[in-house]
Amino acid sequence: MTELGRPARDRAGELGTDLTVGADAVGSSLALVKSAGRVLQILEMFDEIQREARVSEIAERLNFPQSSTSVLLKCLAQMGYLDYDAGSRSFLPSPRVALLGAWLDKGPVRDGSLVRMLEHLSERTGGTVILAARNAIFSQYVHVLQARTAMRFHVPTGTRRLVVWSATGTALLADSPDAEISPLVRRTNAEAMAEQPPIQVAAVMANLARVRRDGHFFSRGLVTPGAGSIAVPLPKRIDRKGRPLAVAISGLVDEFERREAHIVATIQDAIARFLVHMD
Amino acid sequence: MTELGRPARDRAGELGTDLTVGADAVGSSLALVKSAGRVLQILEMFDEIQREARVSEIAERLNFPQSSTSVLLKCLAQMGYLDYDAGSRSFLPSPRVALLGAWLDKGPVRDGSLVRMLEHLSERTGGTVILAARNAIFSQYVHVLQARTAMRFHVPTGTRRLVVWSATGTALLADSPDAEISPLVRRTNAEAMAEQPPIQVAAVMANLARVRRDGHFFSRGLVTPGAGSIAVPLPKRIDRKGRPLAVAISGLVDEFERREAHIVATIQDAIARFLVHMD
DNA sequence: TCCTTTCCATCACATATGTGATATTTATTG
DNA sequence: CAATAAATATCACATATGTGATGGAAAGGA
């Protein structure tokens, strides 16, 4: 049987250690087609470690059984999506995957300036840096740079939060017309009710008002107790199709209380500096 | 130049119509894990059409059963790799996939100048433009721009040719030490013998000598009768890890006979113009 | 509006896939 | 060079997945 409970490394104890924030990433029930999800998890894992890896490491990191991992990797290599180095018995994404999503963005995503901006933010703030996009009723973390501090929240790529009730989600909704909000909240309450107490439209609207007024949104443990997130909507047109994107920095709420102004300034400066040259 | 024997499916009638060149792309026996391959085929298909698509179209293009396609696409959307637009019932890769392979190349692949070069070649020559990388005993077509002419060979992305016996393969091997060739030919004969008569080391070496001397290799129906390909090795360092890549233009062998010098010049000019600024 | 056509979701069975256990291979150590 | 440890491949079964068939929903036409 699969182990649905969180593995031991996730025991968050008392804020004294590495908090792993809930990751419904891709696994479990979300994957109607198991290996479909795994393929992409593997590619995303490489995105994170940026070097070759061997079967055992991949199996361990992603919590796949070793035997399945072995078969899947071999298959991906045969198809030419991974290169296999027999000497080191290690795998690495082939040039073929580099082209997979390339056409999607002629702008900052493709030329790397968006990623550079995220790296810059990571260095400057030390916090967890998150790039989020909307997916149905969720804000999904599309790219995550883990925090550099000793005490940190670990947030896997692919993590999802309710778009109407999270820092990144609020930022993503900043440009949506008011008329869409209320139906969205209803839908959210309908679909995600089991896990959350119902969300109030008024509260969501209040958050939206703030992000629209201030240009950023500070969530004080909106989702994860102890965690603060400062989210900022990215300019439209970052994505080729104009889909909204948002950045957020996450860290300890107490620390972020104090540094709020500075962090906001850092983010906005970074956006201005790194994302100017859009076609 | 000897002409290799080949399976019946390549015997393409009288050259009067659109020849579909054999595509062992990803399907069939190659996919030890069916849906793993399909996921990537889907992403590659979007790369080709560069717009949203609906279930039926995707199923048709890729020859997947509609029911399976439906489930798989829904799953990918749930995981956030595709965006689903309920209005048009269409799917499109999300920004999440744009980042998948981005880290692999800081250079021409990532910033798009490689792709621009390929597009340029497509416009200038009208032929099928192929980017190939090595995968075990194969040269695999990593990116393909279909020809613009009425009479054309259709070559799917993912197609594989023997690296020791194809235009792109010969170009890929140009920088390999001689000592590697003979074992590679033996391995090829061992693994692919059933489909091909044995390949002679001497013939391969002769081809290599030509590509090294001329900087390009013209295959006159080496694999596909009626098709000519002119392949040129790309400079090392295009790929971050220094893996070899090659471009090729394919078309009618008779026409290419005449245009050979011009096409070679066009390719080499394009390489010089588009791929100069490598880090 | 109703009829026709196209497109998609769903079902239940046949089958491909995932997995724990185990064998095999490769690396490490004495 | 054994002997041990680590890593990966393989096997056979349990199970998740793929699929043709079917019905329902949306789009198009009269």
Side-chain angles (χ1 to χ4, degrees), chain B residues 77-157:
Chain B
Q78 273 198 295
M79 296 187 295
Y81 296 104
L82 298 180
D83 280 344
Y84 177 63
D85 179 56
S88 58
R89 285 184 287 171
S90 64
F91 295 84
L92 185 72
S94 73
R96 194 174 178 187
V97 304
L99 285 160
L100 270 186
W103 64 275
L104 276 167
D105 292 87
K106 302 235 184 259
V109 175
R110 177 153 163 188
D111 72 18
S113 65
L114 178 57
V115 174
R116 278 197 297 279
M117 184 193 85
L118 300 175
E119 283 161 358
H120 169 85
L121 287 175
S122 172
E123 277 168 35
R124 287 310 261 313
T125 68
T128 301
V129 178
I130 294 164
L131 176 69
R134 181 164 167 197
N135 178 6
I137 63 166
F138 301 103
S139 159
Q140 186 163 38
Y141 298 172
V142 156
H143 200 72
V144 178
L145 300 179
Q146 302 303 333
R148 304 171 158 242
T149 55
M151 215 309 286
R152 65 190 176 207
F153 299 85
H154 185 272
V155 186
T157 300

Side-chain angles (χ1 to χ4, degrees), chain B residues 17-57:
Chain B
T17 55
D18 185 304
L19 299 179
T20 292
V21 175
D24 65 4
V26 172
S28 61
S29 62
L30 238 178
L32 292 176
V33 180
K34 191 166 351 190
S35 52
R38 287 185 169 175
V39 167
L40 294 160
Q41 282 187 82
I42 288 172
L43 295 181
E44 274 181 346
M45 186 219 66
F46 277 112
D47 203 46
E48 191 178 328
I49 66 174
Q50 308 217 345
R51 56 173 174 75
E52 66 245 354
R54 317 208 303 181
V55 173
S56 55
E57 180 184 355

Side-chain angles (χ1 to χ4, degrees), chain A residues 40-278:
Chain A
L40 294 160
Q41 283 187 81
I42 287 171
L43 294 181
E44 274 181 345
M45 186 218 67
F46 277 112
D47 203 45
E48 191 178 328
I49 67 174
Q50 309 217 346
R51 56 173 175 76
E52 67 255 351
R54 318 207 304 181
V55 173
S56 56
E57 179 184 356
I58 297 171
E60 200 169 322
R61 280 179 178 269
L62 300 176
N63 271 287
F64 301 164
Q66 175 263 317
S67 57
S68 317
T69 310
S70 189
V71 174
L72 184 54
L73 289 173
K74 190 194 295 177
C75 170
L76 290 172
Q78 272 198 297
M79 295 188 295
Y81 296 105
L82 298 181
D83 281 343
Y84 177 62
D85 179 56
S88 59
R89 283 183 289 169
S90 64
F91 295 85
L92 185 74
S94 74
R96 195 174 178 186
V97 305
L99 285 160
L100 270 185
W103 64 276
L104 277 167
D105 291 270
K106 302 234 185 258
V109 175
R110 178 154 164 189
D111 73 17
S113 66
L114 178 58
V115 174
R116 279 198 296 278
M117 184 194 84
L118 301 176
E119 283 161 358
H120 169 85
L121 286 175
S122 173
E123 278 167 35
R124 286 312 258 317
T125 67
T128 301
V129 178
I130 293 164
L131 175 70
R134 182 163 166 198
N135 177 6
I137 62 167
F138 301 102
S139 160
Q140 185 163 38
Y141 298 171
V142 156
H143 200 72
V144 178
L145 301 178
Q146 302 303 332
R148 303 171 157 241
T149 54
M151 215 305 286
R152 65 191 176 206
F153 300 85
H154 184 272
V155 186
T157 300
T159 299
R160 305 187 308 175
R161 299 279 176 258
L162 295 177
V163 72
V164 295
W165 201 248
S166 60
T168 52
T170 305
L172 288 171
L173 292 177
D175 282 317
S176 300
D178 282 356
E180 288 178 11
I181 305 305
S182 164
L184 183 55
V185 172
R186 267 196 298 283
R187 185 176 157 205
T188 301
N189 283 329
E191 293 186 25
M193 204 169 48
E195 297 133 54
Q196 310 270 151
I199 290 159
Q200 305 299 321
V201 176
V204 175
M205 294 305 290
N207 289 344
L208 277 178
R210 289 180 49 200
V211 73
R212 286 166 179 163
R213 188 192 64 208
D214 305 338
H216 70 275
F217 184 78
F218 184 3
S219 131
R220 295 164 173 82
L222 200 59
V223 177
T224 310
S229 290
I230 295 175
V232 176
L234 290 179
K236 312 215 140 190
R237 296 190 303 156
I238 295 279
D239 175 78
R240 195 195 221 184
K241 301 275 174 181
R243 292 170 289 201
L245 292 170
V247 246
I249 318 275
S250 274
L252 292 179
V253 69
D254 300 324
E255 186 194 339
F256 273 38
E257 279 301 354
R258 290 195 309 277
R259 298 212 287 151
E260 175 173 3
H262 176 251
I263 290 173
V264 169
T266 305
I267 298 175
Q268 270 156 358
D269 167 71
I271 292 174
R273 296 231 319 264
F274 287 84
L275 304 180
V276 279
H277 60 55
M278 291 175 293

